Amino acid sequence: MIEIRNVSKWYGQTQVLKDCSTHVAKGEVVVVCGPSGSGKSTLIKCVNGLEPFAQGTITVDGISVSDPKTDLPRLRARVGMVFQHFELFPHMSVEQNLVLAQVKVLGRSAEEAVARGAALLDRVGLREHAAKFPGQLSGGQQQRVAIARALAMDPICLLFDEPTSALDPEMIGEVLDVMVELAQEGMTMMCVTHEMGFARKVAKRVVFMDHGEIVEDAPTNAFFDAPASERAKTFLSRILHH
Amino acid sequence: MNYHWNWGIFLEPVKSGDETYLDWLITGLGWTLAVSLTAWLIALCIGIAVGALRTTPSRLLVMLGNAWVELFRNIPLLVQMFLWFFVAPEFLPREWSLWVKQDMPAKEFITAALCLGFFTSSRVAEQVRAGVGSLPRGQHDAALALGLTLGQAYRHVILPQALRIVIPPLTSEFMNVFKNSSVAFAIGVLELTFQARQMQEDSEQGIETYLAVTLLYFICAFTANRVMALIEARTRVPGLIGKPA
């Protein structure tokens, strides 16, 4: 579903992605982790073309992201993305947040879009909040709305960029529950996250990045039980014993 | 002060004609409103477009936007009035030039409204650019990630937020438009300042004249201020600024 081949990227003189290659098969969950500044967010933003990259190729469902002939908006409409800071549109009600792209991008009728939005809100347990504005919701609620907004486009895969890093600890669970449910239903997901419990539970593979490189790309159990590199060992010991 | 006050002067007829001085001022107020409101409309349309262009990824568009802003904000408004009125028509093709100089209807009004509109648009553009720049980058990313085109992202996500943020500085600009419109007298628009000068010379009651005109300008600018405050209150987002509704 997602194929990343030999991707390199520079910010001026600094190389932020070094020859990165990995993939996510249909129905698979892959967790990307690594210390901050390791390039994991940059890599995931390359997947839907929010960040351009200088070398390599990324294809989603066989369509090249960097090909100038690719209709990027159309491709992005099929790839859902959930952000660290939710990025709900604060000037729109929850319902409008869910409806906007369905109508403007997919061309659904307003009634159809509202119905789809309501069903998804129900699913993330927020049906009664449809008329509220994002600023009136807690962080955990906002992130669940953001997931519903991504799902409303009926995406073929979902990208998560540290979806729980900006949340208060007591709200992380409600967001992870939704993500676990999606994973168990067979949604293709690429998740940048430090939630190792989530990774153990649903990830097929874990990709470990450091300094812009993919240092390890291993099946989940192998990664946790016996990380091959020193850097991954150090990272895991820090993150699991803090 | 050895001055003969005469507050009844406004109801007296002018020396050459059957109008009163009040009629002159009302005519002046009408032209001031017409020039100001037309200019404001032009300034908003162009200013929002140019301000948005200056935040796009296209270098060419940014450059064009910057050029527009620098052109109109670095030349005094009075000089711009003269440039549009006296100089610009000379650069038109011969027949157009003749038409503009001889037959164009409401030439002074159109020139003044366009000139003031362009001048103000550069200032609006600067504020809109700042407003867009103050939004978190993630809003732009989230809009594009949903499959919206850049144009749709600006129309539905970026500009509605940026414009709310810049309502306070835009209020000052709206008020400035009324005050700046007084410069239009220099090219012969029969607006308030023009009428005031005429009344002062005709009636020799300069103090009453300018106090009345001062009051009228004050009312215009103050009304603009209140209208913008109303718009600000109406467009306030629940939970975003201030207390939830």
Side-chain angles (χ1 to χ4, degrees), chain A residues 218-231:
Chain A
T220 307
N221 287 335
F223 178 75
F224 284 112
D225 298 342
S229 65
E230 269 315 304
R231 284 192 274 181

Side-chain angles (χ1 to χ4, degrees), chain B residues 55-109:
Chain B
T55 62
T56 58
S58 157
R59 278 194 194 168
L60 179 72
L61 293 180
V62 171
M63 227 171 64
L64 286 174
N66 290 346
W68 178 272
V69 169
E70 296 309 335
L71 177 66
F72 288 105
R73 75 171 180 179
N74 285 308
I75 306 169
L77 179 58
L78 183 60
V79 174
Q80 290 191 35
M81 284 282 173
F82 289 145
L83 280 174
W84 286 108
F85 196 72
F86 297 113
V87 182
E90 301 298 335
F91 289 92
L92 291 172
R94 209 181 113 73
E95 281 161 38
W96 294 20
S97 174
L98 269 178
W99 179 80
V100 167
K101 285 186 218 161
Q102 292 170 1
D103 303 323
M104 184 168 146
K107 181 189 171 191
E108 295 82 4
F109 165 74

Side-chain angles (χ1 to χ4, degrees), chain A residues 31 46 49 62 69 84 93 97 116 144 153 162 169 174 177 179 202 206 213 225 232:
Chain A
V31 159
C46 287
K69 287 192 292 267
Q84 181 176 3
S93 70
N97 265 279
R116 179 88 179 108
R144 284 187 282 153
M153 304 297 285
E162 304 207 32
E174 62 190 72
D177 287 347
M179 290 171 63
V202 296
V206 175
E213 277 177 284
D225 298 342

Side-chain angles (χ1 to χ4, degrees), chain B residues 11-34:
Chain B
L11 298 176
E12 289 176 18
V14 303
K15 289 197 177 127
S16 54
D18 47 8
E19 289 172 301
T20 62
Y21 290 112
L22 185 64
D23 290 332
W24 278 8
L25 291 190
I26 288 171
T27 306
L29 181 63
W31 282 110
T32 289
L33 290 175

Side-chain angles (χ1 to χ4, degrees), chain A residues 16-206:
Chain A
V16 292
L17 292 178
K18 295 175 190 159
D19 202 30
C20 295
S21 298
T22 186
H23 67 279
V24 184
K26 190 169 189 307
E28 234 176 43
V29 176
V30 170
V31 159
V32 182
C33 63
S36 69
S38 59
K40 47 198 196 307
S41 283
T42 307
L43 181 67
I44 205 168
K45 282 183 181 161
C46 287
V47 173
N48 65 351
L50 286 179
E51 288 279 358
F53 47 93
Q55 286 173 12
T57 55
I58 297 180
T59 58
V60 178
D61 198 25
I63 300 164
S64 166
V65 174
S66 55
D67 186 342
K69 287 192 292 267
T70 298
D71 183 350
L72 259 188
R74 199 165 152 192
L75 179 63
R76 285 171 178 149
R78 303 170 65 207
V79 179
M81 187 159 198
V82 176
F83 297 83
Q84 181 176 3
H85 297 287
F86 330 134
E87 305 302 348
L88 295 178
F89 306 135
H91 60 297
M92 295 180 183
S93 70
V94 165
E95 182 179 83
Q96 290 169 319
N97 265 279
L98 291 163
V99 163
L100 177 71
Q102 290 190 66
V103 171
K104 299 293 171 192
V105 178
L106 301 181
R108 288 182 184 155
S109 72
E111 302 83 64
E112 196 184 351
V114 168
R116 179 88 179 108
L120 286 165
L121 273 187
D122 205 25
R123 160 165 197 182
V124 298
L126 294 169
R127 165 160 268 183
E128 66 277 23
H129 298 285
K132 286 191 181 167
F133 283 76
Q136 297 170 311
L137 302 179
S138 72
Q141 290 172 328
Q142 289 191 54
Q143 195 61 300
R144 284 187 282 153
V145 172
I147 294 172
R149 179 174 72 178
L151 290 175
M153 304 297 285
D154 296 322
I156 53 172
C157 60
L158 283 177
L159 307 174
F160 289 84
D161 183 11
E162 304 207 32
T164 57
S165 305
L167 293 174
D168 290 335
E170 78 268 22
M171 293 173 184
I172 291 176
E174 62 190 72
V175 171
L176 287 179
D177 287 347
V178 174
M179 290 171 63
V180 167
E181 230 181 86
L182 284 171
Q184 285 165 350
E185 285 167 19
M187 175 61 81
T188 308
M189 293 160 61
M190 183 168 172
C191 310
V192 173
T193 182
H194 290 156
E195 293 298 330
M196 292 301 135
F198 170 79
R200 271 184 196 279
K201 204 167 188 176
V202 296
K204 177 106 185 287
R205 293 194 340 275
V206 175

